[in-house]
């Protein structure tokens, strides 16, 4: 069922306040939505989204596009700042341009059409039939739909096509489910009385209201996230090539096994403090055998090749730290964060909490060295191997 | 990023000083990334790192506990070119001269370090790295096939 104007403005307010809180947008703090704005239609005539003007004081500072169609997957399509949205002024400008092209143009209504989403045009209609469509701002005449067959969603750079008609069914289905889920979040009774008309970071700072914008988790003493403090410790590598020994030390310490790096280096074949060496690429499986040996097989270690985000996330959720090999180096991972809300087309930030034994210390100062990286952008690193260890239960 | 709480902690937000960005060179001399140091007093509390297009790579903090500077090295050991040069000069052998130190990494970007090329009287060059307490000679191709 289509949303009423009030519902639409409210939805926009919730979405804008939420994304503002994540800090992923330019400054929209203290902006407000005054109306449901401008309806924008698909070329097939279906209402696609509304463009709502963003105001600060009395000045327009930009606009937000809020989807009406579930097939967008998320309600908030775009936020733009820098150019005020003034529907009446655009129509006036378009009418002047239209008259200059066709002096005798007849029309009785005007509407905004995403002629090639997200590109917008202004459509002039007489008795419901189009008489002219001009591209917004350039005021070029938008050509009629091309008759030639082409692959869906691959239009040319100035072509009229239907976003709704060309979206594949499977994408449509997935996105609709996601859209409904998002709307369900905003239906929480605790949000009912929230005044969302102004965008402000403090909006959700209200007792008993928990809005999950970010999924973050760290290793704890037990899998219960609410109990105790994060429970993980950093160990610096005691030579410039003992990152693997330091990583194993951190992981084993978590499970209360106390082996110093000199011993671990010996087990891993990494030499001594005075004559150290790194772990050869061909011996990456040794990490598994050493962890299992030194825990008398109480830990069941596994090597994961080319680990993806889910591998790290799922292990941390299970309250198990991982050893992570990146090119030439080894560290441990004890947490993750992931933004759950972002603009469509933007990749949500995913970061790992990395206990990195680098920079090195020396064997005389085992308490030094290392850094805690909070957060390592998952998109900027290459993950070659990861090692998890599961405590065997009787 | 620090002010919004995305990275860092209360101590860094209240007392941290953002330093000048430092370029990190690849071993081949090309520009690899930026680091932006965050100091509290004379201590290096953390480092922000960005790719050349300013994509955020990471924030690495030296603090072992959020409310203290325990674990943080002296800032000059990482940021003061003269102090770094001094450390390299301690490694000079008779007749060697050291090139100006530059921020780089040992083979892989995660192994951030200062480097200097030491040239002997007969023209032989060896490259030294310095990171924290550790100082070591470039292992050359022999070190390239291992994790360390």
């Amino acid at each position: 069922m289509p949303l009423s104007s009030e519902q639409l403005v409210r939805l926009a307010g919730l979405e804008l306040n939420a994304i503002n809180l994540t800090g992923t947008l330019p400054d929209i703090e203290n902006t407000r939505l005054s109306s449901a704005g401008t309806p924008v239609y698909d070329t097939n005539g279906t209402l696609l989204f509304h463009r709502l003007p963003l105001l600060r004081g009395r000045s327009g500072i930009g606009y937000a596009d809020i989807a009406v169609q579930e097939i967008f997957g998320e309600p908030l399509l775009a936020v733009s700042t820098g150019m005020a949205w003034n529907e009446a002024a655009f129509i006036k400008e378009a009418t002047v341009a239209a008259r200059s092209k066709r002096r005798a143009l007849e029309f009785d209504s005007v509407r905004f059409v995403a002629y090639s989403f997200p590109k917008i045009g202004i459509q002039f209609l007489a008795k419901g039939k189009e008489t002219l469509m001009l591209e917004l701002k350039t005021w070029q005449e938008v050509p009629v739909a091309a008759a030639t067959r082409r692959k869906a969603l691959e239009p040319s750079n100035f072509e009229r096509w239907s976003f709704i008609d060309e979206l594949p069914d499977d994408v449509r289905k997935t996105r609709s489910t996601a859209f409904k889920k998002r709307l369900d979040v905003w239906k929480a009774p605790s949000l009912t009385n929230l005044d969302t008309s102004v965008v402000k970071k403090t909006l959700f700072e209200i007792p008993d209201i928990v809005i999950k914008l970010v999924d973050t988790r760290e290793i704890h003493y037990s899998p219960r996230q609410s109990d105790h403090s994060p429970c993980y410790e950093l160990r610096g590598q005691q030579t410039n090539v003992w990152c693997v020994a330091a990583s194993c030390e951190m992981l084993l310490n978590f499970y209360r096994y106390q082996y110093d790096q000199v011993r671990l280096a010996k087990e891993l074949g990494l030499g001594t403090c005075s004559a150290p060496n790194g772990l050869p690429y061909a011996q990456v499986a040794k990490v598994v055998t050493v962890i299992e040996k030194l825990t008398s097989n109480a830990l069941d270690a596994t090597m994961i090749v080319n680990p993806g985000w889910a591998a790290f996330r799922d292990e941390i959720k299970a309250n198990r730290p991982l050893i992570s090999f990146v090119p030439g180096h080894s560290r441990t991972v004890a947490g993750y964060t992931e933004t759950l809300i972002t603009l469509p087309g933007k990749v949500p930030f995913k970061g790992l909490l990395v206990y990195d034994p680098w920079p090195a210390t020396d064997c005389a100062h085992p308490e030094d060295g290392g850094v805690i990286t909070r957060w390592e952008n998952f998109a900027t690193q290459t993950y070659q191997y990861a090692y998890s260890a599961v405590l065997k239960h009787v | 990023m620090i002010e919004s709480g995305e990275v860092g902690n209360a101590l860094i937000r209240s007392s941290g000083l953002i330093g000048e960005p430092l370029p990190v060179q690849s071993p081949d001399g090309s520009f690899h990334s930026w680091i932006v140091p965050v100091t509290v007093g004379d201590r290096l509390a953390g480092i922000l790192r960005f790719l050349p297009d300013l994509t955020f790579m990471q924030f690495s903090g030296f603090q072992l506990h959020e409310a203290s500077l325990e674990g943080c090295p002296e800032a000059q050991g990482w940021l003061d070119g003269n102090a770094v040069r001094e450390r390299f000069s301690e490694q000079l052998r008779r007749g060697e001269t050291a090139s100006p130190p530059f921020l780089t990494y040992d083979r892989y970007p995660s192994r951030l370090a200062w480097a200097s090329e030491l040239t002997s009287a007969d023209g032989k060059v060896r490259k030294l790295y310095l990171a924290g307490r550790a100082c070591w000679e470039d292992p050359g191709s022999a070190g390239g096939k291992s994790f360390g």
Side-chain angles (χ1 to χ4, degrees):
Chain A
M1 199 174 74
L3 299 172
S4 68
S5 295
E6 291 76 24
Q7 287 172 317
L8 199 82
V9 173
R10 181 169 174 72
L11 176 61
L14 287 163
E15 288 282 329
L16 285 169
N17 270 289
I19 202 162
N20 185 46
L21 196 59
T22 66
T24 55
L25 277 184
D27 181 25
I28 57 166
E29 182 77 1
N30 287 321
T31 54
R32 67 187 168 82
L33 298 158
S34 60
S35 70
T38 309
V40 180
Y41 296 84
D42 188 79
T43 56
N44 70 9
T46 311
L47 180 60
L48 266 185
F49 62 90
H50 276 246
R51 179 160 288 184
L52 292 80
L54 283 173
L55 306 174
R56 184 174 281 135
R58 289 184 176 181
S59 307
I61 64 128
Y63 56 82
D65 291 343
I66 298 293
V68 173
Q69 294 296 325
E70 292 174 352
I71 56 167
F72 280 109
E74 294 186 22
L76 183 60
L77 302 180
V79 180
S80 179
T81 56
M83 186 185 87
W85 179 254
N86 187 332
E87 177 186 322
F90 287 131
I91 291 176
K92 198 173 168 185
E93 220 178 305
T95 306
V96 172
R99 290 272 182 233
S100 73
K101 287 177 193 293
R102 292 195 206 167
R103 191 173 290 273
L105 179 73
E106 287 186 8
F107 65 93
D108 51 31
S109 61
V110 171
R111 66 181 180 187
F112 289 72
V113 173
Y115 75 84
S116 174
F117 179 79
K119 294 178 186 169
I120 288 179
I122 293 183
Q123 188 180 41
F124 296 86
L125 303 110
K127 293 179 183 168
K129 283 206 154 189
E130 179 183 313
T131 51
L132 181 68
M133 193 195 297
L134 300 180
E135 188 182 47
L136 188 69
K137 293 303 279 180
T138 68
W139 309 128
Q140 281 189 64
E141 187 170 344
V142 178
V144 294
T148 50
R149 287 203 161 268
R150 56 161 173 75
K151 281 177 96 176
L153 300 174
E154 291 185 2
S156 63
N157 59 7
F158 192 41
E159 180 184 332
R160 180 191 302 221
W161 59 281
S162 166
F163 178 78
I164 292 178
D165 294 346
E166 294 202 13
L167 207 61
D169 284 343
D170 54 335
V171 177
R172 195 186 295 257
K173 202 172 167 186
T174 313
R175 289 190 181 179
S176 295
T177 306
F179 191 95
K180 283 175 191 152
K181 269 189 188 171
R182 180 75 142 263
L183 289 192
D184 286 345
V185 170
W186 298 133
K187 283 178 189 161
S190 53
L191 301 174
T192 310
N193 295 321
L194 225 49
D195 176 10
T196 60
S197 59
V198 178
V199 178
K200 50 184 189 288
K201 287 205 164 103
T202 53
L203 182 77
F204 296 121
E205 289 176 8
I206 296 170
D208 304 328
I209 292 186
V210 179
I211 299 292
K212 202 173 178 195
L213 302 172
V214 179
D215 179 18
T216 298
R217 200 175 169 99
E218 283 183 44
I219 290 295
H220 277 56
Y221 186 75
S222 79
R224 282 213 308 241
Q225 180 83 339
S226 57
D227 284 358
H228 305 284
S229 298
C231 173
Y232 201 71
E233 291 180 351
L234 177 68
R235 300 286 176 258
Q237 58 187 84
Q238 291 170 23
T239 76
N240 73 304
V241 285
W242 277 6
C243 62
V244 179
S247 298
C248 288
E249 185 183 7
M250 284 188 262
L251 184 130
L252 289 168
N253 277 183
F254 173 74
Y255 292 104
R256 304 300 187 266
Y257 290 95
Q258 301 293 327
Y259 292 101
D260 63 27
Q261 258 177 60
V262 176
R263 167 73 190 278
L264 286 163
K266 190 178 171 193
E267 295 288 342
L268 289 159
L270 305 180
T272 62
C273 286
S274 54
N277 56 269
L279 183 74
Y281 271 48
Q283 294 180 21
V284 289
K286 223 171 190 177
V287 173
V288 171
T289 51
V290 167
I291 287 172
E292 292 183 343
K293 177 189 169 190
L294 295 182
T295 61
S296 305
N297 288 314
L299 287 178
D300 183 4
T302 306
M303 183 170 83
I304 307 161
V305 181
N306 298 324
W309 172 255
F312 289 103
R313 183 198 57 206
D314 293 350
E315 283 301 299
I316 299 299
K317 273 189 174 168
N319 206 44
R320 295 192 289 259
L322 303 100
I323 294 173
S324 159
F325 278 21
V326 296
H329 191 47
S330 160
R331 322 80 46 81
T332 61
V333 173
Y336 71 84
T337 188
E338 180 179 12
T339 52
L340 298 177
I341 181 168
T342 187
L343 289 173
K346 302 270 182 190
V347 180
F349 178 80
K350 290 175 181 171
L352 293 179
L353 172 58
V354 176
Y355 282 64
D356 190 339
W358 190 267
T361 180
D362 56 35
C363 289
H365 301 88
E367 70 283 4
D368 288 347
V371 288
I372 299 171
T373 295
R374 182 195 305 262
W375 305 97
E376 174 178 273
N377 187 345
F378 194 76
T380 65
Q381 184 58 274
T382 304
Y383 300 91
Q384 293 181 314
Y385 301 96
Y387 302 84
S388 72
V390 180
L391 193 59
K392 288 182 189 168
H393 289 94
V394 179
Chain B
M1 293 180 80
I2 290 172
E3 204 166 292
S4 69
E6 285 172 64
V7 296
N9 52 45
L11 179 66
I12 286 178
R13 273 193 293 285
S14 63
S15 309
L17 197 66
I18 309 288
E20 288 289 318
L22 297 170
V24 179
Q25 289 182 25
S26 304
D28 66 6
S30 61
F31 172 45
H32 176 268
S33 53
W34 292 104
I35 65 158
V36 181
V38 183
T39 57
V40 177
D42 64 352
R43 298 282 149 176
L44 180 62
I47 290 171
L48 288 147
R49 196 162 179 189
F50 299 91
L51 289 173
D53 66 0
L54 301 187
T55 298
F56 170 72
M57 289 178 73
Q58 63 191 61
F59 174 77
S60 299
F62 289 92
Q63 292 171 274
L64 293 178
H65 307 284
E66 291 207 345
S68 82
L69 294 174
E70 191 185 343
C72 298
E74 284 187 20
Q76 68 167 14
W78 276 95
L79 308 177
D80 180 348
N82 289 331
V84 174
R85 191 175 290 121
E86 189 68 26
R87 289 274 311 273
F88 278 118
S89 66
E90 290 167 7
Q91 305 294 324
L92 286 174
R93 295 172 188 157
R94 186 185 293 271
E96 275 185 332
T97 54
S99 72
F102 54 97
L103 201 54
T104 181
Y105 51 84
D106 172 18
R107 290 168 288 155
Y108 301 100
S110 47
R111 295 167 57 86
L112 186 71
W114 283 91
S116 176
E117 288 180 343
L118 278 50
T119 309
S120 65
D122 60 359
K124 281 186 183 163
V125 178
R126 63 188 181 108
K127 193 175 187 179
L128 280 192
Y129 290 104
L130 188 63
R133 288 185 185 277
C135 184
W136 68 101
E137 199 166 317
D138 182 5
S141 57
K145 292 173 185 162
S146 66
F147 291 96

